[in-house]
Amino acid sequence: MSYDYYPILRGRQYDLLALQTVTQVPALTEHLFPIIEPVKDISSLNKNISLWLNLRPLGFITNPVVGDYALLTVKAHPLKPSILNHPNFWQFQYFDPTLTPKSLIQSPNYGLICANYHYLASHLAQLVQLAPKRLLIPDEARFRALVGPLGLPTVTYNDPFDYQADFDVYLVEPETSFSTLLTVGQLYPQAVGCGDFSIMGSYYSEYGAPQRRQVLHLMLLTDMGTLNLRHFVSFDDGGMGHQKEKFLDALAKLRGFVATIPGQTA
């Protein structure tokens, strides 16, 4: 069984656009197993999931804990039967008090996300009975100690993105360490992969605000097999205006950096 990367994405427009872009370079999908936690009931969800399933497995969280999607009793754009029945489609659920008999879905491709330690500790028998084919747990020793003896295929995830409200910090340290789980995680028992919340972090909010600067982050695979983040910060005009120009400035810096990488183009 291969060791794969399981990013947890929130299913926003730009998350789905990123997946669509990656499908155009099949080599990038070889060890990529995205898990979508839907936050919006949008039409592009079906389209982009279908595109991905033609190449690789994809997970979909059916009891999301953030966003509006979970609050809708009737979806305007429910997942199509062709997706639900696709052999590459995986259904994931949070293993916590939101998991009810009604929400349990029988599927040959079924995974659980155990983020609540106390619930996990008191419901191990239920977990064994469900026997998920993928078990996602935080990168913490107490979780590994609990589930290790169960022998379930395990994916360890964390939330390593260190968001800085003051974007000037990224000017001082333009490249920072992001995650070592791609290498260290393979040493854990029953490990089949690692994951994270990518460069968005686990915190979710539907609201934003203009900034004095704009910043873009690029994830890099190092020679050691770990992940770093490179930060590209726009100009600061002392005000909150010119957001488009600031974004384009940061994008130009990112493109200039990518152009210096052998074999890459901006």
Side-chain angles (χ1 to χ4, degrees):
M1 188 176 293
S2 65
Y3 189 82
D4 296 328
Y5 175 48
Y6 294 70
I8 302 173
L9 308 174
R10 288 289 165 62
R12 290 165 287 204
Q13 287 283 8
Y14 45 81
D15 294 323
L16 299 174
L17 180 60
L19 284 181
Q20 180 180 336
T21 302
V22 172
T23 61
Q24 300 170 15
V25 189
L28 295 178
T29 71
E30 184 177 356
H31 291 285
L32 191 57
F33 193 134
I35 298 176
I36 294 178
E37 182 171 16
V39 294
K40 292 286 187 181
D41 184 13
I42 51 180
S43 60
S44 56
L45 202 57
N46 277 284
K47 174 186 175 183
N48 287 282
I49 289 178
S50 295
L51 284 173
W52 186 270
L53 291 176
N54 291 330
L55 296 174
R56 286 277 297 165
L58 176 143
F60 188 86
I61 298 176
T62 57
N63 61 339
V65 295
V66 294
D68 296 334
Y69 192 89
L71 303 177
L72 300 174
T73 55
V74 178
K75 308 292 193 295
H77 307 284
L79 294 185
K80 297 178 180 178
S82 59
I83 290 177
L84 295 173
N85 298 321
H86 197 287
N88 276 339
F89 182 74
W90 282 67
Q91 294 169 339
F92 280 83
Q93 293 178 308
Y94 282 104
F95 189 65
D96 61 21
T98 67
L99 189 68
T100 65
K102 183 179 179 180
S103 69
L104 287 174
I105 297 176
Q106 301 301 320
S107 170
N109 298 327
Y110 181 70
L112 289 174
I113 304 172
C114 299
N116 187 320
Y117 175 80
H118 297 291
Y119 186 86
L120 172 63
S122 58
H123 291 78
L124 281 178
Q126 182 187 13
L127 179 64
V128 172
Q129 184 179 13
L130 292 172
K133 291 189 176 180
R134 291 292 185 278
L135 181 67
L136 270 68
I137 60 170
D139 183 26
E140 299 178 22
R142 58 177 183 163
F143 279 89
R144 293 194 294 272
L146 269 182
V147 305
L150 304 181
L152 297 170
T154 302
V155 175
T156 303
Y157 73 92
N158 59 5
D159 185 20
F161 182 57
D162 184 20
Y163 174 78
Q164 301 292 333
D166 181 3
F167 291 169
D168 289 356
V169 172
Y170 298 123
L171 293 172
V172 178
E173 196 169 6
E175 185 167 330
T176 55
S177 174
F178 182 68
S179 177
T180 60
L181 276 180
L182 279 178
T183 52
V184 175
Q186 298 187 51
L187 304 176
Y188 298 151
Q190 290 85 46
V192 296
C194 65
D196 52 52
F197 289 89
S198 188
I199 59 175
M200 298 305 299
S202 61
Y203 174 76
Y204 174 75
S205 173
E206 296 184 6
Y207 304 99
Q211 302 286 340
R212 290 188 301 106
R213 296 183 183 273
Q214 291 280 354
V215 59
L216 297 176
H217 310 281
L218 179 65
M219 192 180 295
L220 301 170
L221 181 64
T222 71
D223 293 337
M224 299 292 292
T226 60
L227 294 175
N228 282 1
L229 286 183
R230 187 82 181 187
H231 314 290
F232 303 90
V233 186
S234 74
F235 66 85
D236 179 2
D237 60 2
M240 299 297 185
H242 304 100
Q243 294 295 301
K244 176 181 177 180
E245 290 78 8
K246 292 173 182 178
F247 172 80
L248 293 176
D249 181 55
L251 181 61
K253 293 174 180 177
L254 184 152
R255 285 175 168 169
F257 175 81
V258 172
T260 65
I261 302 176
Q264 301 295 320
T265 59

